[in-house]
Amino acid sequence: MDLVIDFFLITGIVISVIILLLLMKSTKKELPQKLLIIFFTILLCYIVHAYSDVHDIELLWIVTFVFNDALELVVGPILLLYVKSLFLDTKELVKRNWIHFIPLVGYFFLISLPMLISIVQKSFVFNYLKLLNDNSLLMFTFFIALLIVYMLWALKLFLTYRNIVPLNFSTITKSDLSWVRNMLVGSIIVASVSLLMNVRDIITGNQVDTDWIILILVIIFIAYLGYYGVEQTKMLLPDFLILESNTKKNKLNSTPGYSYDENELKQLKKMLLSIINKQKVYLDEDLTLNKLAQQIPTTDKKLSTLLNQYMKTTFYDFVNKHRVESVKEKLKSNDFAHLTILGIAYESGFNSKTSFNRIFKKETGLSPSEYKKSL
């Protein structure tokens, strides 16, 4: 059994380090990347702490103690802030959410740090620490329950915000956010298993050492995030999801019932098609609803109304339809014969092989390679 646990520990450490290196390689780190770096650093410290415990490496155990001891109080707020940073304006976002970290700061100075000193000195520096130590199971069960509340809160916000993504971005659909959703769901599952085990110990009065079960679940969870995060690089390095601070307002304005004069919409459609055909703005892989509205020029809410209500489409579908047409034209032209199909896709505004293949087949009924053969 020791060999199995050791294998999982080393695997978890290696995968965590790889993920952190991938996150840190980005030259432009937005708040989402920074929060993911903190998240995976905490998980790495958790695994290293367990490794030092198994192999009796005292110094390493002491160094990682604080990270492991306050894990439940930091992961929840970090995940909540991460979801908000994906969809909201990140300017002063941390300042507006500082209140969520008050329990962590209080616990660190009043309990975690004094407890670490007590462990080093082999005696409690304050009397209340002994009481807390005797009731640590109850305390950490409460912390895990609080962690699950934060995770459910983050998941609820994510499911709400993701519905407006196709209305604002030309390269992202709700399905492209599956990595973030699975990260939140996986976190909830692991925390729930830990909570159930603690509740069982409290009810039975018999505390069984099952920490290795949670440890293995965490490592499997990290391996999943690492593998699919590499496959979906933009989810692992999500610097492209930042929306304006008026996200909720945009969502409201794009709902049925918000309309303009039909003549105004006809004129707006004419201007939109002119911009699309003459300036070929869809070639910009980072094109957003707001950027296109500025090109016309109009407001993003008017453009959203035009697309969603008058033209019966979404910004995502509208832009990518033109990108597919651009790919088809380039595939027929000898001027682009030196490029691969994927190279042509990038030239046409796509920035992901997976999304390009999916969108192209949706529009044409054929895969890109099948379409090229048909020519």
Side-chain angles (χ1 to χ4, degrees):
M1 190 62 185
D2 291 342
L3 288 175
V4 173
I5 294 176
D6 213 35
F7 168 77
F8 273 99
L9 286 170
I10 295 172
T11 301
I13 291 171
V14 171
I15 295 173
S16 298
V17 170
I18 291 173
I19 292 174
L20 284 170
L21 290 174
L22 287 171
L23 286 166
M24 291 176 180
K25 77 175 183 179
S26 175
T27 55
K28 182 184 177 183
K29 295 183 182 67
E30 301 290 348
L31 183 58
Q33 287 101 313
K34 294 176 182 178
L35 291 171
L36 277 185
I37 288 173
I38 295 173
F39 176 71
F40 282 106
T41 299
I42 292 169
L43 294 182
L44 174 61
C45 289
Y46 167 73
I47 300 172
V48 171
H49 184 76
Y51 181 86
S52 65
D53 192 32
V54 170
H55 293 277
D56 295 322
I57 307 175
E58 185 177 357
L59 180 60
L60 189 59
W61 190 93
I62 291 173
V63 170
T64 56
F65 170 80
V66 173
F67 294 97
N68 183 70
D69 193 42
L71 184 144
E72 293 85 359
L73 293 178
V74 66
V75 168
I78 286 293
L79 288 178
L80 179 65
L81 193 60
Y82 171 67
V83 170
K84 289 185 177 182
S85 71
L86 289 176
F87 298 97
L88 302 177
D89 185 359
T90 57
K91 186 179 181 180
E92 297 187 347
L93 185 62
V94 176
K95 290 183 180 179
R96 295 197 302 270
N97 290 271
W98 64 270
I99 192 171
H100 299 293
F101 295 92
I102 290 178
L104 171 66
V105 175
Y107 180 85
F108 175 79
F109 286 105
L110 295 177
I111 301 176
S112 191
L113 194 56
M115 189 65 77
L116 179 59
I117 296 172
S118 300
I119 292 170
V120 174
Q121 293 186 353
K122 302 187 186 309
S123 64
F124 292 109
V125 293
F126 299 112
N127 292 331
Y128 69 85
L129 293 176
K130 184 178 185 307
L131 178 63
L132 291 174
N133 186 65
D134 293 339
N135 296 277
S136 60
L137 182 59
L138 283 172
M139 181 175 66
F140 284 106
T141 300
F142 171 75
F143 288 168
I144 295 171
L146 183 62
L147 171 61
I148 293 174
V149 169
Y150 266 102
M151 289 174 172
L152 290 172
W153 186 2
L155 181 61
K156 183 177 182 296
L157 281 178
F158 170 77
L159 295 175
T160 300
Y161 287 145
R162 73 168 183 169
N163 291 325
I164 53 87
V165 167
L167 304 177
N168 292 271
F169 293 93
S170 62
T171 54
I172 311 162
T173 61
K174 289 185 286 186
S175 61
D176 292 322
L177 298 171
S178 59
W179 188 87
V180 179
R181 180 200 62 205
N182 293 342
M183 179 183 71
L184 295 172
V185 172
S187 299
I188 293 170
I189 292 172
V190 174
S192 297
V193 172
S194 180
L195 179 65
L196 289 173
M197 288 182 174
N198 278 19
V199 170
R200 182 205 60 188
D201 291 345
I202 293 172
I203 293 174
T204 60
N206 182 25
Q207 191 168 347
V208 181
D209 184 14
T210 54
D211 290 346
W212 60 272
I213 296 177
I214 303 302
L215 179 66
I216 291 175
L217 285 177
V218 169
I219 293 171
I220 292 173
F221 173 57
I222 292 173
Y224 167 84
L225 294 179
Y227 177 77
Y228 286 100
V230 172
E231 291 295 310
Q232 302 180 41
T233 307
K234 281 191 172 295
M235 296 316 306
L236 194 58
L237 306 174
D239 55 355
F240 63 100
L241 283 177
I242 309 299
L243 288 180
E244 297 181 1
S245 60
N246 62 350
T247 295
K248 292 184 178 179
K249 180 180 176 182
N250 286 345
K251 183 181 177 184
L252 177 63
N253 289 341
S254 64
T255 56
Y258 192 90
S259 60
Y260 290 88
D261 179 80
E262 187 171 348
N263 290 330
E264 182 181 2
L265 291 177
K266 285 183 179 178
Q267 183 62 26
L268 187 60
K269 179 181 178 182
K270 183 178 179 181
M271 294 165 63
L272 170 63
L273 295 179
S274 176
I275 290 289
I276 288 291
N277 294 326
K278 292 181 180 179
Q279 298 186 22
K280 301 186 184 301
V281 291
Y282 52 82
L283 298 180
D284 177 7
E285 65 177 30
D286 295 319
L287 184 65
T288 64
L289 180 76
N290 187 52
K291 287 174 69 174
L292 180 57
Q294 291 175 3
Q295 292 275 346
I296 292 177
T298 186
T299 63
D300 50 1
K301 61 185 179 183
K302 283 186 180 180
L303 181 56
S304 178
T305 299
L306 172 70
L307 293 168
N308 300 332
Q309 297 183 30
Y310 189 73
M311 299 177 65
K312 306 299 180 185
T313 186
T314 66
F315 174 70
Y316 178 90
D317 290 335
F318 175 76
V319 173
N320 284 312
K321 182 175 182 180
H322 286 278
R323 287 173 174 162
V324 169
E325 290 302 317
S326 174
V327 171
K328 289 163 66 177
E329 290 176 7
K330 289 180 173 64
L331 285 173
K332 296 175 183 177
S333 172
N334 291 330
D335 294 338
F336 297 90
H338 63 288
L339 293 177
T340 63
I341 296 178
L342 187 58
I344 289 175
Y346 290 150
E347 287 283 328
S348 301
F350 290 102
N351 62 1
S352 165
K353 179 181 178 180
T354 303
S355 61
F356 164 61
N357 288 333
R358 183 177 66 246
I359 293 165
F360 192 91
K361 190 164 187 177
K362 176 185 174 184
E363 290 292 331
T364 65
L366 298 171
S367 68
S369 57
E370 289 172 342
Y371 181 85
K372 185 176 182 180
K373 289 179 181 178
S374 72
L375 296 176

